[in-house]
Amino acid sequence: MFSDFTAAELGAIFAMQGFAGLILFAVFVLMALGLAIIFGQMGVINMAHGEFMILGAYVTFMTSNLFANHFPDYFGSYFFFAIIFAFFAAALLGALVEWGMIRFLYHRPLDTLLATWGLSLIMQQSYRSIFGAREVGVVIPDWLRGSYRVTDMIEVPINGLFVMGLAIFATLFVAILMYRSRWGKQVRAVVQNREMAGAVGINSARVDRLTFALGCGIAGVAGSAFTMIGSTGPTAGQAYIVDTFLVVVFGGAGSLLGTVASAFSISQSQSILEFFIGGSMAKVLTLLIVVIILMFRPQGLFTLKVRR
Amino acid sequence: MPFKHFKDYMSRQDILAFAVLALLLLLVLPLSLDIMRLNQVGKYLSFAFVAVGLVLCWGYGGILSLGQGVFYGLGGYALAMYLKLEASSPENTSIQTTPGIPDFMDWNRITELPWFWEPFNSFAFTLAAIIIVPSIFAYLIGVAMFKRRVGGVYFAIITQSIAAILTILIIGQQGYTGGVNGITDLRTLMGWNINTDFASYIFYFICVVLLFVCLFIAQFIRMSKTGRILVAMRGQEDRVRFSGYDIANFKIFVFIVGAAFAGIGGAMFTIQEGFMSPSFVGVVPSIEMVIFCAVGGRLSLVGAVYGALLVNVAKTTFGETFPQLWLFAMGLIFIGVVLGLPNGLAGVYNQWVAPYVDRVLDKIFGKEKTPEDIALESSTQGATS
């Protein structure tokens, strides 16, 4: 399939597709970070994660409308507020869900999967009732439009760079929170041994709630980034849930580095293959390779060495 | 016969439950519903095959597969391919550029029947394929996963991904599979029109009979030694392994049984509805199949049938009258069943109704239970995780 192109063209194709893949990578990383925290640290499978992302996207949409109608002078900066609002809206809802539902199911991980799936249906229908079934798009501020021209053949869109920056920032934020803060230490303690963590005075119920809320909040931020590259609809989140789960499992649950590495490899292979064999076959091939690798290496790329 | 007495195979309550279900499906519904509604019930029952398989896999074996739609689809597509080939005989398709191949292939400029369609010219091969193709697929997945001790959540996610992959593949390869519309416009089975009312009645009864065959097989597995090992494995996998059993083989076995049941169900769907499409293969339908099983009760074979019927009836009636409310209702059912009724409707029955039924049966037939039966029953009811 490569023989139809010259070397220079191939290079440009790889660079362009690779960069397009980086935007997908950013959304994957943001989605998977939240999921990895919830799944890796708590063992809960949150099937409603895509809907939390879409919540963030709708919050971004509302913020852009708010700024357009009431503070048109500051419209250029709405996106930063939107990210913060999206984070807190999703985190708040996450905390509520943890309190009302998840905490009863910690000893039944497979059941969290079904219950959160039910939650995702309810959330989808709520979006449909509130925002309508049609997809909405946000107005991207001027400074995020356009692209840099690197060479004649390679162009780099600015919103893509911005989304990438956001993903890197969020990853660093989570890494510092998990490995350098007192709270992160508590979370890791609860993961390793819930009873012992409780015995040394860690309020494990509170740690669980905050962890779940943080994971959902990051999904909300992913939703903000998502508005840059796709239009927001009630069921848009569902399309990402399988990919994101594979990203988390492929990376190795509980490993941030693994999550980033697997998000990178999956998004890149999907994006580059897409040019040569078309979108749907690229996705089939990528997912298939991941599933086959997982069959030979079920623990994923990177794993924490934990005694179980 | 591995069972010494018949009552080791079926307890009195089991016989009663099977009899009531048989009465309902073979007598009450056919007499009270018109053929259009009965055909719909037949369609719902095709999902009951999957739910019964899930009772064995998930309820007894503790293996939650979120990819049962894959096997349902494989069975359904196998039969649909045969019927489609019959419907696209050279005489029927003489207006096409290439007569004798299915119409969607012609639309996609394919001029030759693909190799994997060839064997589906044979009805015998198709009948075998309905059961064997899902079984082989399940065997491959099972060997790859269970031999490496992958289970629980990971297994659920990987089976879900496989469902997603297969759906994308079917939709993407329109020329070979009929794409998103699926394989439609199926008319005859060996020259016999399948769209008449009479044919619908026949297929409904075939569906019910096959469902009972599956139920009896499942009951056999449930009450046999294999069934007890499955329950033990679900509770304490390591202890069973240390007792010298090869856990993986039992899991593979029960997963294959579930897949074969699902394949039969898919074929029954195709024959009764006259089409098969990727919308019964993917992630969403696969999870819905799990919920049929959960609503009916993950430990009750008969309950799974009722679960499939009730959820689908609710879906149709609710979905027709209040389309907005349906997803709310469905979501609440999911959450409510998981939080409040982990054993589903069968759990409610066993807790509140069964003791009275038992007392009545005691009065009529006299006490008949062995202590072993009671011990087994309490162990299957007690364990929920």
Coordinates of all heavy atoms in Angstrom, one line a residue, chain A residues 55-140:
Chain A
L55 N -21.3 15.6 29.4 CA -21.8 16.7 30.3 C -20.8 17.9 30.2 O -21.2 19.0 30.1 CB -21.8 16.1 31.7 CG -22.2 17.2 32.8 CD1 -23.7 17.6 32.7 CD2 -22.0 16.6 34.2
G56 N -19.5 17.6 30.2 CA -18.5 18.6 30.1 C -18.7 19.4 28.8 O -18.6 20.6 28.7
A57 N -19.0 18.6 27.7 CA -19.1 19.3 26.4 C -20.3 20.2 26.4 O -20.3 21.3 25.9 CB -19.3 18.2 25.3
Y58 N -21.5 19.8 27.1 CA -22.6 20.6 27.1 C -22.4 21.9 28.0 O -22.8 23.0 27.7 CB -23.9 19.9 27.6 CG -24.6 19.1 26.6 CD1 -24.7 17.7 26.6 CD2 -25.2 19.8 25.5 CE1 -25.4 17.0 25.6 CE2 -25.8 19.1 24.5 CZ -26.0 17.7 24.6 OH -26.6 17.0 23.6
V59 N -21.6 21.7 29.1 CA -21.3 22.8 29.9 C -20.5 23.8 29.1 O -20.7 25.0 29.2 CB -20.5 22.3 31.2 CG1 -19.9 23.5 31.9 CG2 -21.5 21.6 32.1
T60 N -19.5 23.3 28.3 CA -18.7 24.2 27.5 C -19.6 24.9 26.5 O -19.5 26.2 26.3 CB -17.7 23.4 26.7 OG1 -17.0 22.5 27.6 CG2 -16.7 24.2 25.9
F61 N -20.6 24.2 25.9 CA -21.5 24.8 25.0 C -22.3 26.0 25.7 O -22.5 27.1 25.1 CB -22.5 23.7 24.5 CG -23.7 24.2 23.7 CD1 -23.5 24.8 22.5 CD2 -24.9 24.1 24.3 CE1 -24.6 25.3 21.8 CE2 -26.0 24.5 23.6 CZ -25.9 25.1 22.4
M62 N -22.8 25.7 26.9 CA -23.6 26.7 27.6 C -22.7 27.9 28.0 O -23.1 29.0 27.9 CB -24.2 26.1 28.9 CG -25.3 25.1 28.6 SD -26.3 24.7 30.0 CE -25.2 23.8 31.0
T63 N -21.4 27.6 28.4 CA -20.6 28.7 28.8 C -20.3 29.6 27.6 O -20.3 30.8 27.7 CB -19.2 28.2 29.3 OG1 -19.5 27.1 30.2 CG2 -18.4 29.3 30.0
S64 N -20.1 29.0 26.4 CA -19.9 29.8 25.2 C -21.1 30.7 24.9 O -20.9 31.8 24.5 CB -19.5 28.9 24.0 OG -20.6 28.4 23.4
N65 N -22.3 30.1 25.1 CA -23.5 30.9 24.9 C -23.6 32.0 25.9 O -23.9 33.2 25.5 CB -24.7 30.0 25.0 CG -25.0 29.2 23.7 OD1 -24.3 29.4 22.7 ND2 -26.0 28.4 23.7
L66 N -23.3 31.7 27.1 CA -23.3 32.7 28.2 C -22.4 33.9 27.8 O -22.8 35.1 27.9 CB -22.9 32.1 29.5 CG -22.9 33.0 30.7 CD1 -24.3 33.1 31.3 CD2 -22.0 32.5 31.8
F67 N -21.2 33.6 27.4 CA -20.2 34.6 27.1 C -20.7 35.4 25.9 O -20.5 36.6 25.8 CB -18.8 34.1 26.9 CG -18.1 34.0 28.2 CD1 -18.4 33.1 29.2 CD2 -17.0 34.8 28.5 CE1 -17.8 33.0 30.4 CE2 -16.3 34.8 29.7 CZ -16.7 33.9 30.6
A68 N -21.2 34.7 24.9 CA -21.6 35.4 23.6 C -22.7 36.3 23.9 O -22.8 37.4 23.3 CB -22.0 34.3 22.6
N69 N -23.6 36.0 24.8 CA -24.8 36.8 25.1 C -24.5 37.9 26.1 O -25.1 39.0 26.0 CB -26.0 36.0 25.6 CG -26.5 35.0 24.5 OD1 -26.3 35.3 23.3 ND2 -27.0 33.9 24.9
H70 N -23.7 37.7 27.1 CA -23.6 38.6 28.2 C -22.2 39.3 28.3 O -22.1 40.5 28.6 CB -23.9 38.0 29.5 CG -25.3 37.5 29.6 ND1 -26.4 38.3 29.8 CD2 -25.8 36.2 29.5 CE1 -27.5 37.6 29.8 NE2 -27.2 36.3 29.6
F71 N -21.2 38.6 27.9 CA -19.8 39.2 28.0 C -19.1 39.1 26.6 O -18.1 38.4 26.6 CB -19.0 38.5 29.1 CG -19.7 38.3 30.4 CD1 -20.1 37.0 30.7 CD2 -19.9 39.3 31.3 CE1 -20.8 36.8 31.9 CE2 -20.6 39.1 32.4 CZ -21.0 37.8 32.7
P72 N -19.7 39.6 25.6 CA -19.1 39.4 24.3 C -17.6 39.9 24.2 O -16.8 39.4 23.4 CB -20.0 40.2 23.3 CG -20.8 41.1 24.2 CD -20.9 40.5 25.5
D73 N -17.3 40.9 25.1 CA -15.9 41.4 25.0 C -14.9 40.4 25.4 O -13.7 40.4 25.0 CB -15.7 42.6 25.9 CG -16.7 43.7 25.5 OD1 -17.2 43.7 24.4 OD2 -16.9 44.6 26.3
Y74 N -15.3 39.5 26.3 CA -14.3 38.5 26.8 C -14.5 37.2 26.2 O -14.1 36.1 26.7 CB -14.5 38.4 28.4 CG -14.4 39.6 29.1 CD1 -15.5 40.4 29.5 CD2 -13.1 40.2 29.3 CE1 -15.3 41.6 30.2 CE2 -12.9 41.4 30.0 CZ -14.0 42.1 30.4 OH -13.9 43.3 31.0
F75 N -15.2 37.1 25.0 CA -15.5 35.8 24.4 C -14.3 35.0 24.2 O -14.3 33.8 24.3 CB -16.3 36.0 23.1 CG -16.8 34.8 22.5 CD1 -17.9 34.1 23.1 CD2 -16.2 34.2 21.4 CE1 -18.4 33.0 22.6 CE2 -16.7 33.0 20.9 CZ -17.8 32.4 21.5
G76 N -13.2 35.6 23.8 CA -11.9 34.9 23.5 C -11.5 34.0 24.7 O -10.8 33.0 24.5
S77 N -11.9 34.4 25.9 CA -11.3 33.7 27.0 C -12.3 32.7 27.6 O -12.0 32.1 28.7 CB -10.9 34.7 28.1 OG -12.0 35.4 28.6
Y78 N -13.5 32.5 27.0 CA -14.5 31.7 27.6 C -14.1 30.3 27.8 O -14.5 29.6 28.8 CB -15.8 31.7 26.8 CG -15.9 30.7 25.7 CD1 -16.3 29.4 26.0 CD2 -15.5 31.0 24.4 CE1 -16.4 28.4 25.0 CE2 -15.6 30.0 23.4 CZ -16.0 28.7 23.7 OH -16.1 27.8 22.7
F79 N -13.1 29.8 27.0 CA -12.8 28.4 27.0 C -12.2 28.0 28.3 O -12.4 26.9 28.9 CB -11.9 28.1 25.8 CG -11.9 26.6 25.5 CD1 -13.0 26.1 24.8 CD2 -10.9 25.8 25.9 CE1 -13.1 24.8 24.4 CE2 -11.0 24.4 25.5 CZ -12.1 23.9 24.8
F80 N -11.4 29.0 28.9 CA -10.7 28.6 30.2 C -11.8 28.5 31.3 O -11.7 27.6 32.1 CB -9.7 29.7 30.5 CG -8.6 29.8 29.5 CD1 -8.6 30.8 28.6 CD2 -7.6 28.8 29.6 CE1 -7.6 30.8 27.6 CE2 -6.6 28.8 28.6 CZ -6.6 29.8 27.7
F81 N -12.8 29.4 31.3 CA -13.9 29.3 32.3 C -14.6 28.0 32.0 O -15.0 27.3 33.0 CB -14.8 30.5 32.2 CG -14.2 31.7 32.6 CD1 -13.6 32.6 31.7 CD2 -14.2 32.0 34.0 CE1 -13.0 33.8 32.2 CE2 -13.6 33.2 34.4 CZ -13.0 34.1 33.5
A82 N -14.9 27.7 30.7 CA -15.6 26.5 30.4 C -15.0 25.2 31.0 O -15.6 24.3 31.5 CB -15.8 26.3 28.9
I83 N -13.6 25.2 30.9 CA -12.9 24.0 31.4 C -13.2 23.8 32.9 O -13.5 22.7 33.4 CB -11.4 24.1 31.0 CG1 -11.2 24.0 29.5 CG2 -10.6 23.0 31.8 CD1 -9.8 24.3 29.1
I84 N -13.1 25.0 33.6 CA -13.2 24.9 35.0 C -14.7 24.5 35.4 O -14.9 23.6 36.2 CB -12.9 26.3 35.6 CG1 -11.4 26.5 35.4 CG2 -13.2 26.3 37.1 CD1 -11.0 28.0 35.7
F85 N -15.6 25.1 34.7 CA -17.0 24.8 35.0 C -17.3 23.3 34.7 O -18.0 22.6 35.4 CB -18.0 25.6 34.1 CG -18.0 27.1 34.5 CD1 -18.4 28.1 33.6 CD2 -17.7 27.5 35.8 CE1 -18.4 29.4 33.9 CE2 -17.7 28.8 36.1 CZ -18.0 29.8 35.2
A86 N -16.8 22.9 33.5 CA -17.0 21.5 33.1 C -16.4 20.5 34.1 O -17.1 19.5 34.5 CB -16.4 21.2 31.7
F87 N -15.2 20.9 34.6 CA -14.6 20.0 35.6 C -15.5 19.9 36.9 O -15.8 18.8 37.3 CB -13.3 20.5 36.0 CG -12.6 19.7 37.1 CD1 -11.9 18.6 36.8 CD2 -12.7 20.1 38.4 CE1 -11.3 17.8 37.8 CE2 -12.1 19.3 39.4 CZ -11.4 18.2 39.1
F88 N -16.0 21.1 37.4 CA -16.7 21.0 38.6 C -18.1 20.4 38.4 O -18.6 19.7 39.3 CB -16.8 22.4 39.3 CG -15.5 22.7 40.0 CD1 -14.6 23.6 39.4 CD2 -15.2 22.1 41.2 CE1 -13.4 23.8 40.1 CE2 -14.0 22.4 41.8 CZ -13.1 23.2 41.3
A89 N -18.8 20.7 37.3 CA -20.1 20.1 37.1 C -20.0 18.6 37.0 O -20.8 17.9 37.7 CB -20.7 20.6 35.7
A90 N -19.0 18.1 36.3 CA -18.9 16.6 36.2 C -18.5 16.0 37.5 O -19.0 15.0 37.9 CB -17.9 16.2 35.1
A91 N -17.6 16.7 38.2 CA -17.1 16.2 39.5 C -18.2 16.1 40.5 O -18.4 15.2 41.3 CB -16.0 17.0 40.0
L92 N -19.1 17.2 40.5 CA -20.2 17.3 41.5 C -21.2 16.1 41.2 O -21.6 15.4 42.1 CB -20.9 18.6 41.3 CG -21.6 19.1 42.6 CD1 -20.5 19.4 43.6 CD2 -22.4 20.4 42.2
L93 N -21.5 15.9 39.9 CA -22.4 14.9 39.6 C -21.8 13.5 40.0 O -22.5 12.6 40.5 CB -22.8 14.9 38.1 CG -23.9 13.9 37.7 CD1 -25.2 14.3 38.3 CD2 -24.0 13.9 36.2
G94 N -20.5 13.4 39.7 CA -19.8 12.2 40.1 C -19.9 11.9 41.5 O -20.2 10.7 41.9
A95 N -19.7 12.9 42.4 CA -19.7 12.7 43.8 C -21.1 12.2 44.2 O -21.3 11.3 45.0 CB -19.4 14.0 44.5
L96 N -22.1 12.8 43.6 CA -23.5 12.5 43.9 C -23.8 11.0 43.5 O -24.4 10.3 44.3 CB -24.4 13.4 43.0 CG -25.9 13.6 43.5 CD1 -25.8 14.3 44.9 CD2 -26.7 14.3 42.5
V97 N -23.3 10.6 42.3 CA -23.5 9.3 41.9 C -22.8 8.3 42.8 O -23.4 7.2 43.2 CB -23.0 9.1 40.4 CG1 -22.9 7.6 40.0 CG2 -23.9 9.8 39.5
E98 N -21.6 8.6 43.2 CA -20.9 7.7 44.1 C -21.7 7.5 45.4 O -21.8 6.4 45.9 CB -19.5 8.3 44.4 CG -18.5 7.3 44.9 CD -18.6 7.0 46.4 OE1 -19.2 7.8 47.1 OE2 -18.0 6.0 46.8
W99 N -22.2 8.7 45.9 CA -23.0 8.6 47.1 C -24.3 7.8 47.0 O -24.6 7.0 47.9 CB -23.3 10.0 47.6 CG -24.1 10.1 48.8 CD1 -23.7 9.9 50.1 CD2 -25.5 10.4 48.9 NE1 -24.8 10.0 50.9 CE2 -25.9 10.3 50.2 CE3 -26.5 10.7 47.9 CZ2 -27.2 10.6 50.6 CZ3 -27.8 10.9 48.3 CH2 -28.2 10.9 49.6
G100 N -24.9 8.0 45.9 CA -26.3 7.4 45.7 C -26.2 6.0 45.2 O -27.2 5.2 45.4
M101 N -25.1 5.6 44.6 CA -25.2 4.3 43.9 C -23.9 3.5 44.1 O -24.0 2.3 44.5 CB -25.4 4.5 42.4 CG -25.8 3.4 41.6 SD -26.4 3.9 39.9 CE -24.8 3.9 39.1
I102 N -22.8 4.1 43.7 CA -21.5 3.3 43.6 C -21.1 2.7 44.9 O -20.7 1.5 45.0 CB -20.4 4.1 43.0 CG1 -20.8 4.8 41.7 CG2 -19.2 3.3 42.8 CD1 -21.0 3.8 40.5
R103 N -21.3 3.4 46.0 CA -20.7 3.0 47.3 C -21.4 1.7 47.7 O -20.8 1.0 48.6 CB -20.8 4.1 48.3 CG -22.3 4.4 48.7 CD -22.3 5.6 49.7 NE -23.6 6.0 49.8 CZ -24.2 6.2 51.0 NH1 -23.5 6.0 52.1 NH2 -25.4 6.7 51.1
F104 N -22.6 1.4 47.2 CA -23.2 0.1 47.6 C -22.7 -1.1 46.8 O -23.0 -2.2 47.1 CB -24.7 0.2 47.4 CG -25.4 1.3 48.1 CD1 -25.9 2.4 47.5 CD2 -25.4 1.3 49.5 CE1 -26.5 3.5 48.1 CE2 -26.0 2.4 50.2 CZ -26.5 3.5 49.5
L105 N -21.9 -0.8 45.8 CA -21.5 -1.9 44.9 C -20.0 -2.2 44.9 O -19.5 -2.9 44.0 CB -22.0 -1.5 43.5 CG -23.5 -1.3 43.3 CD1 -23.8 -0.7 41.9 CD2 -24.2 -2.6 43.5
Y106 N -19.2 -1.7 45.9 CA -17.8 -1.8 45.8 C -17.4 -3.3 45.8 O -16.4 -3.7 45.2 CB -17.1 -1.1 46.9 CG -16.9 0.4 46.6 CD1 -17.4 1.3 47.5 CD2 -16.3 0.8 45.5 CE1 -17.3 2.7 47.2 CE2 -16.2 2.1 45.2 CZ -16.7 3.0 46.0 OH -16.6 4.4 45.7
H107 N -18.1 -4.2 46.5 CA -17.7 -5.5 46.5 C -18.3 -6.3 45.3 O -18.1 -7.5 45.2 CB -18.2 -6.2 47.8 CG -19.6 -5.9 48.1 ND1 -20.1 -4.7 48.5 CD2 -20.7 -6.8 48.1 CE1 -21.4 -4.8 48.6 NE2 -21.8 -6.0 48.4
R108 N -19.0 -5.7 44.4 CA -19.5 -6.4 43.2 C -19.2 -5.6 41.9 O -20.0 -4.9 41.3 CB -21.1 -6.4 43.3 CG -21.6 -7.2 44.5 CD -23.1 -7.4 44.4 NE -23.8 -6.3 44.8 CZ -25.1 -6.1 44.6 NH1 -25.8 -7.0 43.9 NH2 -25.7 -5.0 44.9
P109 N -17.9 -5.7 41.5 CA -17.4 -4.9 40.4 C -18.3 -5.1 39.1 O -18.5 -4.1 38.4 CB -16.0 -5.3 40.2 CG -15.8 -6.5 41.0 CD -16.8 -6.5 42.1
L110 N -18.7 -6.3 38.8 CA -19.4 -6.6 37.6 C -20.8 -5.9 37.6 O -21.3 -5.5 36.6 CB -19.6 -8.1 37.4 CG -18.3 -8.8 36.9 CD1 -18.6 -10.3 36.8 CD2 -17.8 -8.3 35.6
D111 N -21.3 -5.7 38.8 CA -22.6 -5.1 38.9 C -22.5 -3.6 38.7 O -23.5 -2.9 38.2 CB -23.3 -5.4 40.3 CG -23.8 -6.8 40.3 OD1 -23.5 -7.5 39.3 OD2 -24.5 -7.2 41.2
T112 N -21.4 -3.0 39.1 CA -21.2 -1.5 38.9 C -21.4 -1.2 37.4 O -21.9 -0.2 36.9 CB -19.9 -1.0 39.3 OG1 -18.8 -1.7 38.6 CG2 -19.7 -1.1 40.8
L113 N -20.9 -2.2 36.6 CA -20.9 -2.1 35.1 C -22.4 -1.9 34.7 O -22.7 -1.1 33.9 CB -20.3 -3.3 34.6 CG -19.7 -3.4 33.2 CD1 -18.6 -4.4 33.2 CD2 -20.8 -3.9 32.3
L114 N -23.2 -2.8 35.2 CA -24.6 -2.7 34.7 C -25.3 -1.5 35.3 O -26.1 -0.8 34.6 CB -25.4 -4.0 35.2 CG -24.9 -5.3 34.6 CD1 -25.7 -6.4 35.2 CD2 -25.1 -5.3 33.1
A115 N -25.1 -1.2 36.5 CA -25.8 0.0 37.1 C -25.3 1.3 36.4 O -26.2 2.1 36.1 CB -25.5 0.1 38.6
T116 N -24.0 1.4 36.2 CA -23.6 2.6 35.5 C -24.1 2.7 34.1 O -24.3 3.8 33.5 CB -22.1 2.8 35.5 OG1 -21.5 1.6 35.1 CG2 -21.6 3.1 36.9
W117 N -24.3 1.5 33.5 CA -24.9 1.5 32.1 C -26.3 2.1 32.2 O -26.7 2.9 31.3 CB -24.9 0.1 31.5 CG -25.5 0.0 30.2 CD1 -26.8 -0.4 29.9 CD2 -24.9 0.4 29.0 NE1 -27.0 -0.3 28.6 CE2 -25.9 0.2 28.0 CE3 -23.7 0.9 28.6 CZ2 -25.7 0.5 26.6 CZ3 -23.4 1.1 27.3 CH2 -24.4 0.9 26.3
G118 N -27.0 1.7 33.2 CA -28.4 2.2 33.4 C -28.3 3.7 33.6 O -29.1 4.5 33.0
L119 N -27.3 4.2 34.4 CA -27.1 5.6 34.6 C -26.8 6.3 33.3 O -27.4 7.4 33.0 CB -25.9 5.8 35.5 CG -25.5 7.3 35.8 CD1 -26.6 7.9 36.7 CD2 -24.2 7.4 36.5
S120 N -26.0 5.7 32.4 CA -25.7 6.3 31.1 C -26.9 6.5 30.3 O -27.1 7.5 29.6 CB -24.6 5.5 30.4 OG -25.2 4.4 29.7
L121 N -27.9 5.5 30.3 CA -29.1 5.7 29.6 C -29.9 6.8 30.1 O -30.4 7.6 29.3 CB -30.0 4.4 29.7 CG -29.4 3.1 29.0 CD1 -30.4 2.0 29.2 CD2 -29.2 3.4 27.6
I122 N -30.0 7.0 31.4 CA -30.7 8.1 32.0 C -30.1 9.4 31.6 O -30.8 10.4 31.2 CB -30.8 7.9 33.5 CG1 -31.7 6.7 33.9 CG2 -31.4 9.1 34.2 CD1 -31.7 6.3 35.3
M123 N -28.8 9.5 31.7 CA -28.1 10.7 31.3 C -28.3 11.1 29.9 O -28.6 12.2 29.5 CB -26.6 10.6 31.6 CG -26.3 10.7 33.1 SD -24.6 10.3 33.5 CE -23.8 11.9 33.2
Q124 N -28.2 10.1 29.0 CA -28.5 10.3 27.6 C -29.9 10.9 27.3 O -30.0 11.9 26.6 CB -28.4 9.0 26.8 CG -27.0 8.6 26.4 CD -27.0 7.3 25.8 OE1 -28.0 6.8 25.2 NE2 -25.9 6.6 25.9
Q125 N -30.9 10.3 28.0 CA -32.2 10.8 27.8 C -32.4 12.2 28.4 O -33.1 13.0 27.8 CB -33.2 9.8 28.3 CG -34.7 10.1 28.0 CD -34.9 10.2 26.5 OE1 -34.4 9.4 25.7 NE2 -35.6 11.2 26.1
S126 N -31.7 12.4 29.5 CA -31.8 13.8 30.1 C -31.2 14.8 29.1 O -31.9 15.9 28.9 CB -31.0 13.9 31.4 OG -31.3 12.8 32.2
Y127 N -30.1 14.5 28.5 CA -29.5 15.5 27.5 C -30.5 15.7 26.4 O -30.7 16.8 25.9 CB -28.2 14.9 26.9 CG -27.1 14.7 28.0 CD1 -26.2 13.7 27.8 CD2 -27.0 15.5 29.1 CE1 -25.2 13.5 28.7 CE2 -26.0 15.3 30.0 CZ -25.1 14.3 29.8 OH -24.1 14.1 30.7
R128 N -31.1 14.6 25.9 CA -32.1 14.7 24.8 C -33.2 15.6 25.2 O -33.7 16.4 24.4 CB -32.5 13.3 24.4 CG -33.0 13.3 22.9 CD -33.2 11.8 22.5 NE -31.9 11.1 22.3 CZ -31.7 9.9 22.7 NH1 -32.6 9.2 23.3 NH2 -30.5 9.3 22.4
S129 N -33.7 15.4 26.5 CA -34.9 16.2 26.9 C -34.5 17.7 27.1 O -35.3 18.6 26.7 CB -35.4 15.7 28.2 OG -35.7 14.3 28.1
I130 N -33.3 17.9 27.6 CA -32.9 19.3 27.9 C -32.4 20.0 26.7 O -32.8 21.1 26.4 CB -31.8 19.3 29.0 CG1 -32.4 18.7 30.3 CG2 -31.4 20.7 29.3 CD1 -31.4 18.4 31.4
F131 N -31.5 19.4 26.0 CA -30.8 20.1 24.9 C -31.3 19.8 23.5 O -30.9 20.3 22.5 CB -29.3 19.8 24.9 CG -28.6 20.2 26.2 CD1 -28.3 19.3 27.2 CD2 -28.3 21.6 26.4 CE1 -27.7 19.7 28.4 CE2 -27.7 22.0 27.6 CZ -27.4 21.0 28.6
G132 N -32.2 18.8 23.4 CA -32.7 18.4 22.1 C -31.9 17.3 21.5 O -30.7 17.1 21.9
A133 N -32.4 16.6 20.6 CA -31.7 15.4 20.0 C -30.7 15.9 19.0 O -29.8 15.1 18.7 CB -32.7 14.5 19.3
R134 N -30.8 17.1 18.5 CA -29.8 17.5 17.5 C -28.5 17.8 18.1 O -28.4 18.3 19.3 CB -30.3 18.8 16.8 CG -31.5 18.4 15.8 CD -31.9 19.6 15.0 NE -30.8 20.3 14.3 CZ -31.0 21.4 13.7 NH1 -32.2 22.0 13.8 NH2 -30.0 22.0 13.1
E135 N -27.4 17.6 17.3 CA -26.1 17.9 17.8 C -25.8 19.4 17.9 O -26.3 20.1 17.0 CB -25.1 17.2 16.9 CG -25.2 15.7 16.9 CD -24.0 15.0 16.3 OE1 -23.3 15.6 15.5 OE2 -23.8 13.9 16.8
V136 N -25.1 19.8 18.9 CA -24.8 21.3 18.9 C -23.3 21.4 18.8 O -22.5 20.5 19.1 CB -25.2 21.9 20.3 CG1 -26.7 21.8 20.4 CG2 -24.6 21.2 21.4
G137 N -22.8 22.5 18.3 CA -21.4 22.8 18.1 C -21.1 24.2 18.8 O -22.0 25.0 18.8
V138 N -19.9 24.3 19.4 CA -19.6 25.6 20.0 C -18.9 26.5 18.9 O -18.3 26.0 18.0 CB -18.7 25.4 21.2 CG1 -19.4 24.6 22.3 CG2 -17.4 24.8 20.9
V139 N -18.9 27.8 19.2 CA -18.1 28.7 18.3 C -16.7 28.7 18.9 O -16.5 29.1 20.1 CB -18.8 30.1 18.3 CG1 -18.0 31.0 17.4 CG2 -20.2 30.0 17.9
I140 N -15.8 28.4 18.1 CA -14.4 28.4 18.6 C -13.9 29.8 18.5 O -14.0 30.5 17.4 CB -13.5 27.4 17.7 CG1 -14.1 26.0 17.9 CG2 -12.1 27.5 18.1 CD1 -13.4 25.0 16.9

